[in-house]
Amino acid sequence: EEAENAMAKATRLMTKHNLTMQEVMKYGKKDDREFIRTYCSEGGRRSRESKFLWGIVENFFFVKVILHRKDDEHFNIFIGTRENVEIAMYVYSYLKTVFLNLWYSYKDANDLPANYKQSFYEGLRRGLYAKLKSERDNVQQEMGLVLVEDAGLQQAMTAFYPKLGSGVKTNKNLLSRKAINDGFDQGQKIQINRGLESSKKSNLLIK
């Protein structure tokens, strides 16, 4: 059998790296990491896929995502270390395409109306979340450590946006339990290979 997919590897490496940094700083090492913010344009309208992915990248790729609008253009602002932001932005962009392609295939195969899309996306989100959480839990168990909220990342977000309000709630119109369940099964099979494997920009990426 081939080696585990690149997304699982990246999740493991990032979790191990952040757990190690967390443990080192606990014993007095100064947090000298550089945090950046990067704007990613969504164009004139946010995609339907976006609201199902923000939580994924925030929970598993060690960044914060701020939603911003200037005039008629929407932005996602990624905050984190340079390495984590690079990975999170790639994963976010890739998953938008994956979600859309999986929906088109599922819709055509089952002759479904467009309003079932959000149910299917919610299933994909839950399935992918479960997959990544299982991988993270395995790493924490192996290392005997538990990730806690990154105080440095939180401080960086506050420094960039000292008056930031609470998050915007997004409504999900879920119509089909079957579409959610089918999406869940497919979400657990999502893999990220090309891009994470070939990128040389970060020492956390898969070589």
Side-chain angles (χ1 to χ4, degrees):
E1 185 177 0
E2 293 184 0
E4 62 181 321
N5 73 81
M7 183 171 64
K9 287 182 179 179
T11 304
R12 291 178 65 83
L13 284 174
M14 291 180 74
T15 302
K16 285 183 177 180
H17 175 78
N18 284 273
L19 276 169
T20 300
M21 289 298 298
Q22 173 182 297
E23 193 68 6
V24 168
M25 286 185 288
K26 188 172 73 173
Y27 289 99
K29 181 181 182 298
K30 181 180 178 181
D31 186 356
D32 56 2
R33 294 172 296 167
E34 178 187 2
F35 291 90
I36 66 170
R37 59 177 168 179
T38 302
Y39 289 72
C40 178
S41 176
E42 289 271 326
R45 182 179 180 182
R46 294 196 184 278
S47 68
R48 290 287 182 87
E49 296 76 37
S50 298
K51 65 183 177 182
F52 295 90
L53 297 175
W54 296 320
I56 293 290
V57 295
E58 282 200 334
N59 276 287
F60 298 102
F61 294 93
F62 304 98
V63 297
K64 294 292 185 181
V65 182
I66 306 298
L67 308 185
H68 176 68
R69 180 177 179 179
K70 183 177 181 181
D71 298 326
D72 293 328
E73 189 170 7
H74 294 268
F75 296 89
N76 297 320
I77 304 173
F78 290 79
I79 299 172
T81 64
R82 186 173 303 277
E83 294 86 354
N84 289 346
V85 166
E86 287 175 355
I87 296 173
M89 287 181 64
Y90 169 78
V91 169
Y92 174 79
S93 178
Y94 181 86
L95 288 176
K96 281 176 63 178
T97 301
V98 169
F99 270 44
L100 187 60
N101 289 341
L102 288 174
W103 162 247
Y104 282 141
S105 296
Y106 181 72
K107 175 179 179 293
D108 292 344
N110 295 277
D111 193 24
L112 295 174
N115 59 2
Y116 275 45
K117 178 189 284 188
Q118 294 202 71
S119 297
F120 184 67
Y121 279 174
E122 176 63 12
L124 289 177
R125 184 196 67 79
R126 294 179 187 181
L128 180 57
Y129 188 100
K131 175 181 181 177
L132 294 175
K133 184 178 184 301
S134 176
E135 193 63 48
R136 183 177 64 188
D137 289 347
N138 288 340
V139 172
Q140 291 181 136
Q141 185 173 5
E142 289 171 10
M143 297 184 69
L145 300 170
V146 177
L147 281 169
V148 297
E149 183 176 4
D150 188 336
L153 176 57
Q154 186 62 43
Q155 290 169 6
M157 188 172 69
T158 301
F160 284 129
Y161 300 101
K163 297 181 180 180
L164 186 68
S166 58
V168 177
K169 292 184 178 180
T170 56
N171 295 321
K172 297 175 182 177
N173 188 20
L174 308 180
L175 301 177
S176 170
R177 172 57 60 183
K178 183 178 187 304
I180 293 174
N181 292 338
D182 291 343
F184 182 91
D185 292 340
Q186 292 195 38
Q188 290 193 305
K189 299 174 184 177
I190 290 176
Q191 298 185 4
I192 295 179
N193 296 308
R194 189 176 64 180
L196 283 178
E197 288 179 331
S198 61
S199 177
K200 303 299 182 182
K201 293 182 180 180
S202 167
N203 61 1
L204 289 179
L205 296 184
I206 305 305
K207 310 299 186 195

